[in-house]
Amino acid sequence: MKNKLQNTFGCFFLVILMLLPVRRVYAQSEDFATWTGVKVSHKVAPRWSLSAATEFRSKDHLRKADRVSLNLGASCDVLSFLKFSGIYELHYRNRGSDGWKFRHRYLIGPQASVKGGNFKFSLREYFQQTISEGEAESRLRSRIKAEYVPTSWTLHPYFSAELYQPIGGEAFFSIARMRYRPGINVRISRKCSCDVFYCRQYEPVRSINIVGLEFLVRF
């Protein structure tokens, strides 16, 4: 049964990967940014985990601060290969001449994952709603991820692709953003690791090259 599930999920993963939209985006501008953060998680029950994270982002080729954020989340292991998560985020953003502004964001959705040998594959679907200055924006975020996780290795390389789609209005299920993210998870200890990554983000009006560093602590 387990092998059948792995084969089914693996085939589904490859189909989704092949169906990801491939198109050229003629960006009006290019930017270089950094993302740095710390995330902590704690398993409060056999199926339940809580998490908290903070992050700082730069923009405009590192010349300006972009945003500072804080998020709180909870996840439940519904099945051995399936979990359901909910996250609340608070962003404090640099809006240029308008100054710094707050916005709120909520994310909720499932993630399925399966291991095959030294590889781990996952598919995550989030419904995201962002509230800023009285306006609400809803998007569907779909991410596929492949990791190479041999137990004897300290370095675990991975690659993910994430698609953002607006929900509602004339832009229903168009492509608002694509992210391609190769990275390496460095295992520092049994409970601590460091994620070093590069992210290429495409949007209709700009593209961003992002270098990131995130520390993850489990207790």
Tab-separated table of all heavy atoms in Angstrom, residues 25-52:
chain	number	residue	atom	x	y	z
A	25	VAL	N	7.961	36.348	-19.372
A	25	VAL	CA	7.400	37.522	-18.735
A	25	VAL	C	8.338	38.680	-19.005
A	25	VAL	O	9.495	38.667	-18.600
A	25	VAL	CB	7.244	37.302	-17.206
A	25	VAL	CG1	6.714	38.565	-16.564
A	25	VAL	CG2	6.342	36.115	-16.921
A	26	TYR	N	7.849	39.666	-19.716
A	26	TYR	CA	8.672	40.810	-20.061
A	26	TYR	C	8.579	41.825	-18.925
A	26	TYR	O	7.697	42.687	-18.903
A	26	TYR	CB	8.223	41.400	-21.390
A	26	TYR	CG	8.432	40.436	-22.543
A	26	TYR	CD1	7.426	39.549	-22.922
A	26	TYR	CD2	9.643	40.392	-23.229
A	26	TYR	CE1	7.632	38.653	-23.965
A	26	TYR	CE2	9.855	39.494	-24.272
A	26	TYR	CZ	8.844	38.640	-24.626
A	26	TYR	OH	9.034	37.749	-25.645
A	27	ALA	N	9.475	41.719	-17.981
A	27	ALA	CA	9.422	42.571	-16.804
A	27	ALA	C	9.866	43.985	-17.147
A	27	ALA	O	10.768	44.191	-17.956
A	27	ALA	CB	10.326	41.999	-15.712
A	28	GLN	N	9.222	44.938	-16.532
A	28	GLN	CA	9.582	46.337	-16.744
A	28	GLN	C	10.800	46.723	-15.926
A	28	GLN	O	11.460	47.704	-16.221
A	28	GLN	CB	8.394	47.239	-16.393
A	28	GLN	CG	7.189	47.026	-17.302
A	28	GLN	CD	6.024	47.901	-16.899
A	28	GLN	OE1	6.109	48.665	-15.945
A	28	GLN	NE2	4.922	47.786	-17.625
A	29	SER	N	11.105	45.975	-14.874
A	29	SER	CA	12.254	46.306	-14.034
A	29	SER	C	12.808	45.052	-13.384
A	29	SER	O	12.122	44.046	-13.253
A	29	SER	CB	11.846	47.322	-12.957
A	29	SER	OG	10.884	46.764	-12.078
A	30	GLU	N	14.072	45.132	-12.978
A	30	GLU	CA	14.750	44.051	-12.266
A	30	GLU	C	15.193	44.580	-10.909
A	30	GLU	O	15.611	45.730	-10.792
A	30	GLU	CB	15.971	43.570	-13.049
A	30	GLU	CG	15.649	42.789	-14.299
A	30	GLU	CD	15.534	41.294	-14.047
A	30	GLU	OE1	16.039	40.824	-13.009
A	30	GLU	OE2	14.943	40.613	-14.891
A	31	ASP	N	15.107	43.737	-9.895
A	31	ASP	CA	15.516	44.148	-8.561
A	31	ASP	C	16.332	43.027	-7.936
A	31	ASP	O	16.264	41.870	-8.357
A	31	ASP	CB	14.294	44.467	-7.699
A	31	ASP	CG	14.643	45.255	-6.440
A	31	ASP	OD1	15.828	45.614	-6.261
A	31	ASP	OD2	13.734	45.504	-5.631
A	32	PHE	N	17.119	43.377	-6.935
A	32	PHE	CA	17.852	42.398	-6.140
A	32	PHE	C	17.505	42.637	-4.685
A	32	PHE	O	17.516	43.784	-4.211
A	32	PHE	CB	19.359	42.537	-6.356
A	32	PHE	CG	20.172	41.578	-5.522
A	32	PHE	CD1	20.205	40.225	-5.833
A	32	PHE	CD2	20.877	42.016	-4.407
A	32	PHE	CE1	20.929	39.330	-5.068
A	32	PHE	CE2	21.603	41.132	-3.638
A	32	PHE	CZ	21.633	39.783	-3.964
A	33	ALA	N	17.169	41.569	-3.967
A	33	ALA	CA	16.696	41.706	-2.584
A	33	ALA	C	17.256	40.588	-1.717
A	33	ALA	O	17.778	39.588	-2.214
A	33	ALA	CB	15.170	41.678	-2.553
A	34	THR	N	17.119	40.769	-0.412
A	34	THR	CA	17.492	39.734	0.553
A	34	THR	C	16.330	39.482	1.500
A	34	THR	O	15.582	40.408	1.833
A	34	THR	CB	18.730	40.137	1.377
A	34	THR	OG1	18.477	41.371	2.059
A	34	THR	CG2	19.957	40.284	0.488
A	35	TRP	N	16.179	38.221	1.903
A	35	TRP	CA	15.222	37.832	2.927
A	35	TRP	C	15.985	37.106	4.031
A	35	TRP	O	16.705	36.136	3.767
A	35	TRP	CB	14.168	36.869	2.370
A	35	TRP	CG	13.292	37.441	1.293
A	35	TRP	CD1	13.240	38.724	0.845
A	35	TRP	CD2	12.327	36.707	0.517
A	35	TRP	NE1	12.316	38.853	-0.157
A	35	TRP	CE2	11.734	37.630	-0.385
A	35	TRP	CE3	11.914	35.386	0.505
A	35	TRP	CZ2	10.750	37.248	-1.283
A	35	TRP	CZ3	10.935	35.005	-0.407
A	35	TRP	CH2	10.352	35.933	-1.283
A	36	THR	N	15.854	37.548	5.261
A	36	THR	CA	16.490	36.868	6.394
A	36	THR	C	15.445	36.678	7.493
A	36	THR	O	14.647	37.589	7.756
A	36	THR	CB	17.670	37.682	6.953
A	36	THR	OG1	17.242	39.009	7.282
A	36	THR	CG2	18.796	37.764	5.940
A	37	GLY	N	15.451	35.496	8.111
A	37	GLY	CA	14.433	35.238	9.121
A	37	GLY	C	14.803	34.137	10.083
A	37	GLY	O	15.794	33.415	9.898
A	38	VAL	N	13.979	34.011	11.108
A	38	VAL	CA	14.109	32.955	12.110
A	38	VAL	C	12.725	32.345	12.336
A	38	VAL	O	11.737	33.076	12.482
A	38	VAL	CB	14.646	33.498	13.447
A	38	VAL	CG1	14.703	32.380	14.492
A	38	VAL	CG2	16.014	34.126	13.266
A	39	LYS	N	12.655	31.014	12.332
A	39	LYS	CA	11.397	30.324	12.570
A	39	LYS	C	11.581	29.290	13.678
A	39	LYS	O	12.579	28.564	13.690
A	39	LYS	CB	10.924	29.621	11.291
A	39	LYS	CG	9.610	28.861	11.455
A	39	LYS	CD	9.173	28.199	10.152
A	39	LYS	CE	7.870	27.433	10.326
A	39	LYS	NZ	7.435	26.805	9.060
A	40	VAL	N	10.624	29.245	14.604
A	40	VAL	CA	10.653	28.245	15.670
A	40	VAL	C	9.353	27.446	15.614
A	40	VAL	O	8.296	27.986	15.253
A	40	VAL	CB	10.821	28.890	17.064
A	40	VAL	CG1	12.155	29.598	17.169
A	40	VAL	CG2	9.693	29.866	17.364
A	41	SER	N	9.444	26.167	15.928
A	41	SER	CA	8.255	25.321	15.953
A	41	SER	C	8.310	24.390	17.157
A	41	SER	O	9.395	24.047	17.651
A	41	SER	CB	8.147	24.511	14.654
A	41	SER	OG	9.228	23.615	14.517
A	42	HIS	N	7.131	24.002	17.608
A	42	HIS	CA	7.040	23.137	18.789
A	42	HIS	C	5.868	22.177	18.623
A	42	HIS	O	4.758	22.599	18.279
A	42	HIS	CB	6.842	23.988	20.045
A	42	HIS	CG	6.668	23.180	21.291
A	42	HIS	ND1	7.592	22.230	21.704
A	42	HIS	CD2	5.672	23.171	22.223
A	42	HIS	CE1	7.186	21.686	22.821
A	42	HIS	NE2	6.027	22.225	23.165
A	43	LYS	N	6.126	20.893	18.849
A	43	LYS	CA	5.080	19.874	18.746
A	43	LYS	C	4.378	19.785	20.096
A	43	LYS	O	4.944	19.291	21.074
A	43	LYS	CB	5.693	18.530	18.358
A	43	LYS	CG	4.715	17.590	17.695
A	43	LYS	CD	5.446	16.414	17.085
A	43	LYS	CE	4.528	15.550	16.229
A	43	LYS	NZ	4.044	16.246	15.024
A	44	VAL	N	3.149	20.276	20.157
A	44	VAL	CA	2.427	20.334	21.430
A	44	VAL	C	1.629	19.063	21.697
A	44	VAL	O	1.189	18.828	22.827
A	44	VAL	CB	1.492	21.557	21.466
A	44	VAL	CG1	2.302	22.840	21.431
A	44	VAL	CG2	0.501	21.523	20.301
A	45	ALA	N	1.418	18.254	20.669
A	45	ALA	CA	0.687	16.990	20.784
A	45	ALA	C	1.146	16.108	19.636
A	45	ALA	O	1.794	16.583	18.705
A	45	ALA	CB	-0.821	17.233	20.735
A	46	PRO	N	0.844	14.800	19.678
A	46	PRO	CA	1.305	13.919	18.601
A	46	PRO	C	0.955	14.409	17.200
A	46	PRO	O	1.719	14.201	16.258
A	46	PRO	CB	0.593	12.597	18.927
A	46	PRO	CG	0.425	12.623	20.408
A	46	PRO	CD	0.168	14.055	20.758
A	47	ARG	N	-0.196	15.068	17.047
A	47	ARG	CA	-0.606	15.520	15.714
A	47	ARG	C	-0.540	17.028	15.523
A	47	ARG	O	-0.686	17.512	14.398
A	47	ARG	CB	-2.039	15.040	15.414
A	47	ARG	CG	-2.158	13.542	15.195
A	47	ARG	CD	-3.525	13.206	14.632
A	47	ARG	NE	-3.642	11.788	14.276
A	47	ARG	CZ	-4.671	11.260	13.649
A	47	ARG	NH1	-5.701	12.035	13.298
A	47	ARG	NH2	-4.695	9.984	13.361
A	48	TRP	N	-0.325	17.771	16.590
A	48	TRP	CA	-0.421	19.225	16.519
A	48	TRP	C	0.926	19.902	16.730
A	48	TRP	O	1.695	19.506	17.612
A	48	TRP	CB	-1.414	19.750	17.543
A	48	TRP	CG	-2.837	19.509	17.175
A	48	TRP	CD1	-3.601	18.425	17.510
A	48	TRP	CD2	-3.682	20.350	16.389
A	48	TRP	NE1	-4.864	18.544	16.990
A	48	TRP	CE2	-4.942	19.722	16.289
A	48	TRP	CE3	-3.492	21.583	15.749
A	48	TRP	CZ2	-5.998	20.286	15.583
A	48	TRP	CZ3	-4.545	22.142	15.056
A	48	TRP	CH2	-5.782	21.496	14.975
A	49	SER	N	1.206	20.935	15.922
A	49	SER	CA	2.429	21.732	16.062
A	49	SER	C	2.076	23.211	15.978
A	49	SER	O	1.153	23.612	15.259
A	49	SER	CB	3.440	21.403	14.952
A	49	SER	OG	3.864	20.055	15.030
A	50	LEU	N	2.832	24.016	16.724
A	50	LEU	CA	2.701	25.471	16.684
A	50	LEU	C	4.000	26.061	16.166
A	50	LEU	O	5.078	25.492	16.373
A	50	LEU	CB	2.386	26.035	18.071
A	50	LEU	CG	1.091	25.568	18.737
A	50	LEU	CD1	0.969	26.188	20.132
A	50	LEU	CD2	-0.125	25.939	17.887
A	51	SER	N	3.917	27.206	15.507
A	51	SER	CA	5.116	27.836	14.970
A	51	SER	C	5.013	29.351	15.064
A	51	SER	O	3.916	29.918	15.149
A	51	SER	CB	5.346	27.424	13.507
A	51	SER	OG	4.308	27.916	12.685
A	52	ALA	N	6.178	30.001	15.025
A	52	ALA	CA	6.260	31.457	14.988
A	52	ALA	C	7.500	31.816	14.182
A	52	ALA	O	8.495	31.096	14.204
A	52	ALA	CB	6.334	32.046	16.390
